[in-house]
Amino acid sequence: MTGRHSQNGQHGQHGQHGPSGGPRARRAPEELRSHQWYGTDGLRSFSHRARTRQLGYLPEEHLGKPVIAILNTWSDINPCHQHLRERAEAVKRGVWQAGGFPLEFPVSTLSETFQKPTPMLYRNLLSLETEELLRSYPVDGAVLMGGCDKTTPALLMGAASADLPTVFVPAGPMLRGHWRGETLGSGTDMWKYWDDKRAGLIGDCEMAELECGLARSPGHCMTMGTASTMTGAAEVLGVTMPGASSIPAVDSGHSRMAAAAGRRIVELAWTDHRLSTVLTREAYEDAVAAVCALGGSTNAVIHLIAMAGRSGVDLTLDDFDRIARTTPVLANLRPGGKYLMEDFHYAGGMPGFLSRLQGHLHLERPTVAHDTLREQIAGALVHDDDVIRTADNPLAAEGGVAVLRGNLAPGGAVIKHIAAEQHLMKHTGPAVVFDDYRTMQATINDPDLGITAESVLVLRGSGPLGGPGMPEYGMLPIPDHLLKQGVRDMVRLSDARMSGTSYGACVLHIAPESHVGGPLALVETGDLITLDVAARTLRLEVDDAELERRRAAWRPPERRYGRGYGALYEEHITQADTGCDFAFLARPGEVPEPYAG
């Protein structure tokens, strides 16, 4: 395949090649999936053509052309996707230019900033909507548009299950924030300055200014939070245009990238280059390596495991830990580092970053844009060695995420140790237990709890079922009296998640969760807990006989939902270590194509 893509979305010409480099045959119009709806002589095809005329389209605008679904997660309540209405027009422009027929479909928006109790509760709902929409309409290929945390995995999970030719268009990061001469990172600096306010270091006037300077444009968080981690992972998987994941949302290069995606999907539809040819075992292992080298969000562990499952790939916590142990952190990005996504983009973006990670990647696998990943990153350059480090000058020698096991987490737990104070990476302290988040909020500053810097804060009832949906409660607040003493980190444990923009010695995703009787349900205030990240262990220092006594006395909580989506969720959600997918969506099995009549 000749030609290559630059980071601003401009691209050269592509041949019709397959994953092995050989030519891919271009299908005849009669072989397109949409032909079943439009091209036969029956009553149904007549009706479909008539209704398309009702939409205002001429026969020559769509007959015999690939029909491209543009799945747009834009909404008025999602600031990360505020610009996607305009970007959908750029995608359509590219589709029209390449001889396809674009149709835009509105799908659920998962706004991390507003949706309660957490958009994680609805990730699988969007994935199901995506899968069934692509299956039930006359669609030959799809362009997926999203970027806010749960949107990327949801869209790709559904698209993987539907398995049509697909390109993902990331929403892009917002511009960097500003306040009194300081550069702000959304999320990360929110936590930092909120703690400063609680400690009495700044007041309401400063907070009002910060409120206006923290998030200044459309786009998702510009730190290496969950949004940037997952859009970056999507690019590494090979489902975006090269360089797409770091283009700032308001940069004109973002529109050019969207148009390039529209052009590319038409070619993929003609050659029936399906998503399953791209989302391979090797692609997922490379995505894990990239997440580790980016110092990415712990949420990627859950999402990539779920995404891989939809692709028929058995990705596990052990794969993350194995890859993390041999992968250095090369991206100097907040919250574990110094810079923001805008800096990363201009330093070389994902192509430049991957050029320095080549020894950890499977370079001969295909992407949606090139025959091989090797070809996709050929000639990529890095322009700032402090933003994107070299292998001999890493930010950290090991990947930023560690997987812990022990009698407190037999199914595993995770910690983003690169974003924590290192003296806490081996720590034993007495537990202070909170049964739910509301109780914790109401009592965390109670002096009678006797919380010290040595205490281990424990939150339960916040997992996939207990949350519900594993809300981002895992960065438990440090009590006010300790903040005023200068304490900025403590060991904190939960079956919840935390924002990828957060930081601290927070052990997350403890499995099985307390709500189903996992060992976290048995912890009592005063129990000693030992965290040892180097040894990858998390241990409750209570003998087995006492734990068995407590287990015998434990009773499961009552079901929360009597009906509706919540009841469906409770019946089918899996645990964090297997991706929190719905069991009926994660399992293998054939789904027949609809009969178009």
Side-chain angles (χ1 to χ4, degrees), residues 301 305 315-322 325 402-415 507-512 519 529-540 576-578:
V301 178
I305 287 174
L315 191 69
T316 69
L317 289 176
D318 291 337
D319 291 316
F320 275 85
D321 198 56
R322 170 180 57 83
R325 287 176 182 270
V403 175
L404 310 172
R405 296 188 187 273
N407 70 344
L408 193 48
V414 299
I415 183 171
V507 177
L508 311 159
H509 312 177
I510 292 177
I529 293 175
T530 297
L531 167 67
D532 189 337
V533 173
R536 299 299 199 264
T537 57
L538 180 67
R539 179 166 180 80
L540 178 61
D577 58 317
T578 55

Side-chain angles (χ1 to χ4, degrees), residues 185-195 207 214 501 503:
S186 60
T188 301
D189 281 309
M190 177 182 74
W191 313 118
K192 174 183 180 294
Y193 286 110
W194 189 258
D195 281 351
M207 293 303 292
L214 194 62
T501 66
Y503 50 85

Side-chain angles (χ1 to χ4, degrees), residues 116-146:
K116 306 300 180 189
T118 168
M120 184 64 178
L121 188 68
Y122 302 102
R123 184 200 67 182
N124 298 339
L125 182 62
L126 174 55
S127 79
L128 182 60
E129 181 184 14
T130 298
E131 175 182 351
E132 297 305 325
L133 186 152
L134 294 178
R135 181 173 287 116
S136 60
Y137 281 98
V139 172
D140 300 301
V143 175
L144 314 175
M145 304 186 69

Side-chain angles (χ1 to χ4, degrees), residues 7 71-73 80-81 83-84 87-88 91 143-148 151-152 155-156 167-174 218-220 227-236 238-251 253-255 257-259 261 341 350 368:
Q7 294 172 55
L71 273 59
N72 194 347
T73 53
C80 304
H81 299 175
H83 57 305
L84 291 189
R87 295 300 177 271
V91 175
V143 175
L144 314 175
M145 304 186 69
C148 194
T151 311
T152 299
L155 290 169
L156 287 171
V167 176
F168 183 74
V169 171
M174 69 178 85
H220 59 68
S228 293
T229 300
M230 294 313 302
T231 55
E235 182 171 341
V236 178
V239 298
T240 77
M241 304 308 288
S245 64
S246 64
I247 303 173
V250 295
D251 193 301
H254 199 268
S255 290
M257 176 272 294
M341 288 302 297
M350 191 60 70
V368 299

Side-chain angles (χ1 to χ4, degrees), residues 275-556:
L275 199 54
S276 56
T277 65
V278 176
L279 295 180
T280 61
R281 171 82 195 186
E282 292 76 16
Y284 281 107
E285 288 189 349
D286 288 356
V288 173
V291 167
C292 293
L294 287 166
S297 168
T298 51
N299 288 306
V301 178
I302 292 175
H303 296 319
L304 284 173
I305 287 174
M307 292 162 63
R310 296 294 190 92
S311 300
V313 174
D314 183 22
L315 191 69
T316 69
L317 289 176
D318 291 337
D319 291 316
F320 275 85
D321 198 56
R322 170 180 57 83
I323 293 170
R325 287 176 182 270
T326 59
T327 305
V329 179
L330 301 183
N332 188 7
L333 299 171
R334 301 184 196 181
K338 176 181 178 183
Y339 296 100
L340 298 171
M341 288 302 297
E342 212 174 329
D343 306 302
F344 181 77
H345 179 66
Y346 297 121
M350 191 60 70
F353 175 77
L354 293 180
S355 73
R356 292 189 166 175
L357 199 65
Q358 291 188 57
H360 300 269
L361 304 174
H362 300 86
L363 296 173
E364 304 309 319
R365 61 180 177 86
T367 71
V368 299
H370 290 92
D371 286 343
T372 66
L373 179 63
R374 184 188 301 279
E375 181 182 351
Q376 181 156 311
I377 63 175
L381 301 174
V382 174
H383 309 295
D384 190 324
D385 289 338
D386 194 36
V387 178
I388 301 175
R389 299 289 186 89
T390 59
D392 58 1
N393 183 35
L395 196 68
E398 281 190 2
V401 175
V403 175
L404 310 172
R405 296 188 187 273
N407 70 344
L408 193 48
V414 299
I415 183 171
K416 187 173 181 178
H417 54 95
I418 192 175
E421 292 188 7
Q422 294 306 296
H423 74 277
L424 294 172
M425 295 301 91
K426 187 172 184 179
H427 178 83
T428 298
V432 178
V433 180
F434 302 94
D435 285 323
D436 59 80
Y437 191 71
R438 290 187 186 185
T439 301
M440 183 278 300
Q441 284 183 305
T443 62
I444 188 69
N445 292 312
D446 185 348
D448 290 341
L449 294 179
I451 299 174
T452 72
E454 299 303 308
S455 299
V456 175
L457 303 181
V458 176
L459 174 66
R460 55 186 173 216
S462 301
L465 277 168
M470 291 185 79
E472 293 183 340
Y473 293 164
M475 189 181 171
L476 279 70
I478 294 169
D480 288 352
H481 73 276
L482 293 180
L483 288 173
K484 291 173 181 177
Q485 295 171 24
V487 176
R488 284 295 184 272
D489 200 2
M490 295 175 65
V491 175
R492 289 159 275 181
L493 316 181
S494 72
D495 44 15
R497 299 176 299 109
M498 78 174 184
S499 168
T501 66
S502 300
Y503 50 85
C506 302
V507 177
L508 311 159
H509 312 177
I510 292 177
E513 65 174 307
S514 60
H515 202 79
V516 299
L520 194 65
L522 310 180
V523 182
E524 296 181 357
T525 293
D527 290 344
L528 290 179
I529 293 175
T530 297
L531 167 67
D532 189 337
V533 173
R536 299 299 199 264
T537 57
L538 180 67
R539 179 166 180 80
L540 178 61
E541 305 293 352
V542 175
D543 65 63
D544 292 344
E546 172 60 16
L547 290 178
E548 284 303 317
R549 185 193 67 77
R550 296 180 188 180
R551 185 171 284 109
W554 181 82
R555 296 292 179 269

